[in-house]
Amino acid sequence: MDQHSAEAPDPHRAAVPGPDLLAMAAKARAQGRGDPFGAPVLAMALSLSRRLDDGELTLPDLRAALRHIGDLAFADRAASLARKLGGTDAGATDAALIAVASRTARPDPADSPVPFAAFRQACERPRAAAVFTAHPTFSLPRDTNRALAEAACGTPPPPGLPLRPVPPDLEEEFTQAVAAIANGRDALDRLAAAFLAVARDTWQDRWRTLMPAPVLLSSWVGYDTDGRTDIGWQDTLRLRLRMKELGLARLEAQIAALALDATQPLLDRLATALDAVRAQIMACPPPGTPEPEAAQRFARLLVGRREEALTTPEPLLELFGAAIDAAPDDQARLALCVARAGLAAHGLSLAQTHTRLNSAQLHNAARLRVPALGGAPDDAARRRALFGAINAALDEARPEPVDTGGLLAESSSAMRLMMTVAQITKHVDASQPVRFLVAETESGFTLLAALFLARLCGVERHVEISPLFETAEALERRGERVIEEALRSPHWREYLRGIGRLCLQFGYSDSGRYIGQPAASHLIERLKLRVADLLARHGLGALEVVLFETHGEGLGRGGHPDGLAARLDYLDPPAVRAAFAAARIPTRIETSFQGGDGYQLFGTPALAHAVVARIAEHAFAPPPGEVTDPVYAEAGFAADLFAGMRSAMGALVDDPGYAGLLGGFGPALLDRTGSRPVARQSDTGGPATIRHARELRAIPNNAVLQQLGFLANLTHGLGANASREPEGFAELLRRSPRFAGAMAFARAGLSLSDPDVLRGYVATVDPGMWLDRAANARTPANAASLSAVATALEEQGLGDPVRRVFRSLLADQTSLRRAWPAEGEAPRMSDRLFAVHALRLLLIHRIWMRAVNIPEFSPRHGVTRDGLLRRLLRLDVEEAAKLLDGVFPAHEPPSASLDYGEPPSPRYGGYGREHAELMEPLRELFAMVREASAVVSLECGAFG
C-alpha cells in the first residue's frame, strides 16, 4: 500500500464511512471508569478485531475512520497554530509592530520622545534572533506542511494531501528552511518599516540615517556537523554561497520593484555580484569526497572572483546613500531604508550563520597539533596541566594560511570546520560573525581549545564561540564552572572583549528527557542567574550576553502549550531579565525553530509576521523591576518539587524497564523525520536492542513517549511532592505566573496521556495477556496464533521489567492527578486520541498474529525464521517483508520459461499464496500503523 495514503482534511467533505471510533472510545472508557480491573483500550481493540474476523468491518473501513480522525486533527492543529501566534490578521499585527516602535520612541505617550540617539541605540542593537535548525521534526511532507500553514490563515486545504512524512535529505531541509527564512525576512522588513515610520513622524530630519535591526534571523542548516558525516566542507560552502545568492537576489528584487533611476548603480553592482556568486556555486564540488581537480577549479573561482562577488556589504551600503537622497518621496525613501537595514543586519546572506560540532571533535583537533593537550579535561589529575598547556599553546599560536587544498588534506573534523569558517570570512562574507556552537561542553578547556583553533585559522575576531549546556550536570554544577574556568585565561578575557559578547546556548531536549521538562527549565533559569552574578563579579558587565535557547515546538523540547508569547516568557523569565538589567548587562534572546515543525510557524507571510510581532513585543518589554512572583519568595516548595522530578526521572531513565518500554517497538512506530537514524543499528542487521534511553536521540525519545500515550518527560516525579502538599501546589499554581508557566507542560502532558493506553502497550509485550486471549479465543487457529505470540514474547523477556516501570509511572501520575486543582476541567486524553491508540493496538496485534505463522524455511544468507520473527515483534516490518520476498519469491525466475531441449521438470510457480496471505497483509497493516502514528503526532501538536 502507498505509504502516503493517509490524507489531510477536506473540511467540506461528507462524513466518512466506517466504524464510529469516537463513540466506541467513549463507550469503552465509560464502561472502564471505576473498574480497577478494566482495560478499556484493549477492550476496544479486541472489539474491532472480532468485528474484522466476523466480516462486519474491513481494513478499508478502518482506514477511512482513521483518515477522518486525521482530518479533524489537521483542522484543529491549523486553528491552534493561528491561536498560539496571537492571530494572523495583517492589520492587527502591523498595529502591534507600530505599538512596539511607538513605545520605544515615547515610553510615556503623554511625554516628550526619548533622544534620537537613544532611539537609534534601541532599534539598531539586535535584541532577539530566530534561529532555524535542521532538527529531525519534518513530521509532514512539504506540501502538507504548507497547506497546514495556509489553513491556519483561513485557506481550506486541498483534498488528498499525505500526512505521513517523507524522510528529508540535506537539500530538502535547506529548501524548506529557505522558504521559512524568506517569509521571516519579509516580516522583519515590516518591523523595520514600523520603526522607520515612527522615527519619520518624530524626527523628520534624521530618520533616514537609521538602520533598524532589533530582530535577526540565523540558520545552521548545512553547517551543523555535530553527529553528522554527510555534510562535507564543500556542502557547507555551497549552501553558504547559495544563502549569499538568495540574499542578494532578494535585495535586487526589492530595489527593482521601486523602478527608480537613482537605484540603477545599485542594480548594476548587484548584477555583477550575482553573476560571480552563481559561477562560484556552479563550480563547487558535489557532495561526497571531492576530486582534487574539481576543488582546485572551485578555489580559483572563489579567490579569483571574490571582489566581483563582494565580501562585505559596504560597497552596496555606500550606493544606498545616493539612492535614498535622490528618491522622489518618503514612500520610496522608506522602502530603500528598509532594504538597506536588512542588508546591514544580515550581511551578504539571507540569514546569519551558525555552525555546530561537539567538544570531543575539538579536543581531538587540538591534541593533533599540541600533543601536550592529550587527556580528558575532567580528569582531576590532568586538569591543571591541561589548562597550563592550552594557555601556553595560545601564547604561541599565530594565524596560519588556510586554502582549499588544506581543507582537502585536513583529517580533523573540527579543524576542517574552522578552516571552512575562515574561507567564508575571506571569500564569502566578512561582515557578520559566525556562531561556533559546541555541544557537550563540560569544561572551560573546550572553549580555550576552540579559541586555539580559531587563532590558528585567523578567525578569532570572526567567530562567536558558544558552549551548549544541556545535561543535568552541566546545568546544575558545571555550566558556571565552565565559564569561570575560561575566564581565568587572559586569552579568553581578551577574546570576549574583542568580540564584545559572551554567547551561551541552553538545551531543552536532552535536559527535558533526562530530568523532566519543568525541572530542566528550573535548572536553566538558576544557571542564568548565576551567570549574571559571575559576570558582575569579574567586572565584565560591559559585555553583551547572548542567551540562545535551543528548544523546539514539541512539548518535550520546550514548545509551550499556551502559545508563542508564553513560550518566550518560559525561556526568558522575568527573574532572569531583572538580574541582567540590575547588573546593567545587555542581553539578546535567541530562540530556535527546529525543522519542519518550526518552519511551519513561518509557513506563510502572515504567520511569520505574527511570529516577529510576538518576538518584538517580548524583546522590547520593559525590564520587570522588582520580581514579586511567589515562586521566588517561597522557593522551597517549588525547588523540592523540581528536585523530586529530577530524581525520579533520573531513576526512570536508568531503569532497564524504561529502555524496554521505549525500545521494544517504539522506534518502529515512527517514520523518519530527519536525515539521521532514530537509533543505532546492530552489527547483524536491523535495529539494535535499546539497552538504555540514551541510545535513542532526544527527539525520537520524546516522540516515542507521545506514541505510547504517556508523556513521562513532562510529568513523572511531580506527583509525589504535589500530593504531599496539594493545597500549597494549588495555591502556587494559582498565584505564580512563572510556576503556572512551567506546570502548563504538566497540564498538557496529562491531557495527552492515559494510563489505560500505556497499560495497553505494556500488556502487548506481556506474554500473559496473549495467553489470556488464547484461553478465550473463538477458534482453534486464533488460539494457536495467540499462544505462539506469547511464546515468542517470553523469549524477549520484556514483560516483567516493563510492567515494573509501568507501576512506577502509574503511581506518580495517579498522585499528580489527585493533587491537580479541581477548578476547571481536569486534564484528560481526548476520546479521539484514545481511539487512534486502540486502533493501532489492534493493528500491531494482527501483525504479530500473522508473524508467528511464517512458514518454516532453511536459513539462507543469514536469514532465519527466528530472526525474522524477532524483527517483526519489534515492528521492523518493512525490512522483514523484503527479506521474506527473497525467501519466498512471488514468481518463478524468467529462466524457467526457456526451452532447454528436453521435457521440462514440473514448474510450480512462485510463492503467490505466501505473498497474498503474509507479506502483503503485513505491509498493509504496518502502513496503517504508521498512518496512525502520523495522526498521533498531529494530535500532539508537534513531533517529539
Side-chain angles (χ1 to χ4, degrees), residues 133-134 138 142 167-178 219-225 228-239 242 287-288 599 672 674-676:
T133 74
F138 294 86
R142 188 202 306 182
D169 56 16
L170 180 60
E171 177 62 28
E172 176 65 18
E173 291 171 349
F174 180 78
T175 298
Q176 292 197 38
V178 162
S219 172
W220 79 32
V221 182
Y223 320 135
D224 171 20
T225 60
R228 298 191 69 152
T229 59
D230 60 323
I231 300 178
W233 61 263
Q234 76 276 24
D235 299 312
T236 296
L237 282 173
R238 183 191 319 106
L239 295 180
R242 286 174 63 184
Y599 304 165
R672 283 185 60 185
S675 54
R676 294 190 299 188

Side-chain angles (χ1 to χ4, degrees), residues 735-761:
R735 294 174 49 225
S736 166
R738 174 60 176 154
F739 186 70
M743 288 301 102
F745 285 88
R747 183 194 71 226
L750 292 175
S751 72
L752 295 171
S753 302
D754 189 321
D756 286 331
V757 168
L758 183 61
R759 184 182 283 111
Y761 289 111

Side-chain angles (χ1 to χ4, degrees), residues 51 131 573 894:
R51 291 175 66 183
V131 183

Side-chain angles (χ1 to χ4, degrees), residues 378-513:
D378 57 356
D379 180 355
R382 287 277 298 147
R383 219 140 144 272
R384 180 176 293 183
L386 274 177
F387 277 96
I390 189 64
N391 277 298
L394 282 163
D395 287 338
E396 300 297 324
R398 299 293 182 271
E400 301 171 348
V402 173
D403 73 333
T404 301
L407 283 169
L408 279 173
E410 179 57 50
S411 60
S412 158
S413 56
M415 190 62 175
R416 198 162 54 240
L417 181 59
M418 195 69 80
M419 292 168 72
T420 304
V421 170
Q423 294 297 79
I424 290 172
T425 60
K426 283 193 299 181
H427 305 304
V428 182
D429 185 5
S431 67
Q432 302 296 330
V434 174
R435 187 71 54 77
F436 199 86
L437 303 163
V438 186
E440 301 173 9
T441 302
E442 301 210 344
S443 170
F445 173 82
T446 303
L447 304 182
L448 299 180
L451 179 59
F452 172 64
L453 299 187
R455 187 167 290 180
L456 290 179
C457 292
V459 292
E460 184 175 344
R461 290 293 180 263
H462 293 280
V463 293
E464 298 172 335
I465 299 166
S466 175
L468 166 60
F469 302 126
E470 186 160 30
T471 66
E473 184 74 14
L475 294 175
E476 191 159 33
R477 285 185 289 275
R478 291 192 179 180
E480 183 182 9
R481 191 183 76 190
V482 166
I483 300 169
E484 188 145 30
E485 284 175 344
L487 286 174
R488 291 185 191 134
S489 168
H491 298 283
W492 184 254
R493 293 196 301 273
E494 178 190 1
Y495 161 74
L496 289 181
R497 292 190 180 99
I499 64 168
R501 62 182 61 91
L502 170 66
C503 300
L504 304 173
Q505 183 184 4
F506 303 91
Y508 291 74
S509 295
D510 271 328
S511 60
R513 70 163 168 153

Side-chain angles (χ1 to χ4, degrees), residues 475-715:
L475 294 175
E476 191 159 33
R477 285 185 289 275
R478 291 192 179 180
E480 183 182 9
R481 191 183 76 190
V482 166
I483 300 169
E484 188 145 30
E485 284 175 344
L487 286 174
R488 291 185 191 134
S489 168
H491 298 283
W492 184 254
R493 293 196 301 273
E494 178 190 1
Y495 161 74
L496 289 181
R497 292 190 180 99
I499 64 168
R501 62 182 61 91
L502 170 66
C503 300
L504 304 173
Q505 183 184 4
F506 303 91
Y508 291 74
S509 295
D510 271 328
S511 60
R513 70 163 168 153
Y514 288 138
I515 62 177
Q517 184 59 227
S521 173
H522 177 67
L523 289 185
I524 290 170
E525 180 178 16
R526 288 173 55 190
L527 175 56
K528 290 175 183 174
L529 294 172
R530 295 198 302 274
V531 169
D533 179 64
L534 176 65
L535 293 179
R537 284 190 280 112
H538 277 269
L540 295 170
L543 289 177
E544 177 185 52
V545 175
V546 177
L547 304 171
F548 177 21
E549 318 292 340
T550 320
H551 66 109
E553 286 57 52
L555 292 166
R557 294 175 287 121
H560 204 283
D562 294 341
L564 184 57
R567 173 163 137 183
L568 294 167
D569 284 337
Y570 175 74
L571 301 170
D572 187 35
V576 170
R577 287 186 276 132
F580 280 101
R584 299 185 179 278
I585 299 172
T587 59
R588 182 197 306 176
I589 175 74
E590 297 188 348
T591 178
S592 60
F593 293 86
Q594 294 185 350
D597 286 346
Y599 304 165
Q600 191 179 90
L601 276 69
F602 291 80
T604 68
L607 292 177
H609 192 193
V611 171
V612 167
R614 302 294 84 80
I615 292 174
E617 287 169 342
H618 180 88
F620 282 92
E626 182 183 0
V627 178
T628 58
D629 192 309
V631 78
Y632 304 107
E634 305 161 19
F637 174 76
D640 289 347
L641 187 77
F642 293 134
M645 183 178 209
R646 181 195 164 183
S647 176
M649 282 297 299
L652 177 69
V653 166
D654 287 333
D655 191 320
Y658 188 57
L661 180 66
L662 292 173
F665 56 77
L669 298 176
L670 308 173
D671 277 305
R672 283 185 60 185
T673 56
S675 54
R676 294 190 299 188
V678 169
R680 300 177 298 108
Q681 300 292 298
S682 71
D683 294 335
T684 57
T689 300
I690 302 297
R691 303 293 184 189
H692 193 281
R694 72 171 67 91
E695 295 172 20
L696 276 175
R697 293 189 173 94
I699 291 173
N701 176 103
N702 298 336
V704 168
L705 290 173
Q706 290 177 343
Q707 297 298 330
L708 296 179
F710 205 91
L711 276 65
N713 53 338
L714 305 182
T715 62

